[in-house]
Amino acid sequence: MAEQTALTDRRTDGGGRPDAAVVRDALGVGIAVGLSGFAFGVTSAGSGLSVWQTCALSLLVFTGASQFALVGALAAGGSPLTAAAGAFFLGVRNAFYGLRLSQSLSLPRAVRPFAAQWVIDETAAVSLAQPGRRAARLGFAVTGLTLYVLWNLTTLLGALGAEAIGDTDAWGLDAAGPAVFLALLAPMLRTTAERAVAGLAVLLGLGLLPVLPAGVPVLMAALAAPAVLYVEGRRRSHAEGRRGSDRDGRSDGTPQSDRTRPDDQPRSDRPVGQNDRAGQAGRVDTEGERR
């Protein structure tokens, strides 16, 4: 039995990571972020929602940031329509995750509607960090299942024990999710363009946060990608054009137009060709006739 377990742990996906490593990382993310459900349960109960309403949000919506945006707007005195609109805009990002995950996971059609419920920041980060499709599926399933079960359980406990837990800001539970996501994202930023996109997105998100409604700064931060790609494309086009100019010139930088063409060389420097020999022979014959 121990030997069979060892073989299972060493099983990999086309030379990629062992299954045990993928499961370990997925469990770590699911447990760390799942504890944030305490903070949501307390915040939701403090905003005036009942226990069953709080639990329904976690069971049906299951997008932590959107849930916090919804109950935060309600707690601040906003209307339900405004709170729902902010949560909706913040949850739009999951649609883009779904487009990317549909290619990397390639799940059967019958499974996709159920898997869509688990398309969130953490499952997308764990799945896209894997080297192969099998490891990506395993990471997605383990992260989604662990996080969904633990998030809903801690939401219930937080809503029931809101008064006992007290101020969630003192616990810092609401920062667990973003911190884990950034830790997963950082190793994936390998190129200069990727780092530039991430940096510009952070600046846009934080800079627009005080002036735009909840959820909108996140959507505006997505403009960082096309902006960086446009600048990168212009830079490459300029570099290719400069290399093309250099190829047209000499190694010392002299343009092709300044080169001396064979037709421009003095006649004395040109090699004697067949036509020149014929011309010289004709001139000799003419001189002989004159004599």
Side-chain angles (χ1 to χ4, degrees), residues 3-89:
E3 208 174 295
Q4 185 177 0
T5 304
L7 289 175
T8 304
D9 291 344
R10 288 197 298 269
R11 188 175 180 183
T12 60
D13 181 18
R17 302 182 63 200
D19 290 351
V22 178
V23 172
R24 182 177 62 248
D25 293 346
L27 287 175
V29 172
I31 293 173
V33 180
L35 295 177
S36 301
F38 281 113
F40 171 71
V42 174
T43 305
S44 180
S47 65
L49 297 181
S50 63
V51 174
W52 74 267
Q53 289 173 330
T54 300
C55 292
L57 281 174
S58 289
L59 286 169
L60 301 177
V61 180
F62 189 56
T63 54
S66 298
Q67 294 177 234
F68 276 109
L70 177 63
V71 299
L74 293 176
S79 66
L81 183 60
T82 303
F88 171 79
F89 282 120

Side-chain angles (χ1 to χ4, degrees), residues 20 57 75 129 175 185 190 199-200 272:
L57 281 174
L185 180 64
R190 298 184 178 91
L200 182 58
V272 179

Side-chain angles (χ1 to χ4, degrees), residues 34-46 54 68 151 153-174:
L35 295 177
S36 301
F38 281 113
F40 171 71
V42 174
T43 305
S44 180
T54 300
F68 276 109
W151 177 271
L153 178 60
T154 53
T155 295
L156 174 61
L157 296 177
L160 292 175
E163 296 181 359
I165 294 176
D167 186 11
T168 56
D169 293 338
W171 292 74
L173 296 176
D174 54 340

Side-chain angles (χ1 to χ4, degrees), residues 230-283:
Y230 174 77
V231 174
E232 183 71 10
R234 291 291 302 270
R235 187 187 66 82
R236 289 182 179 179
S237 299
H238 181 70
E240 290 176 358
R242 187 167 52 187
R243 285 196 297 267
S245 304
D246 294 341
R247 283 195 298 267
D248 292 340
R250 293 181 177 179
S251 58
D252 59 355
T254 304
Q256 176 71 25
S257 59
D258 293 343
R259 293 184 182 181
T260 303
R261 295 185 177 87
D263 294 339
D264 297 336
Q265 292 180 357
R267 182 175 297 273
S268 59
D269 295 337
R270 290 192 303 174
V272 179
Q274 184 175 0
N275 295 335
D276 293 339
R277 292 193 186 98
Q280 290 177 1
R283 285 195 298 272

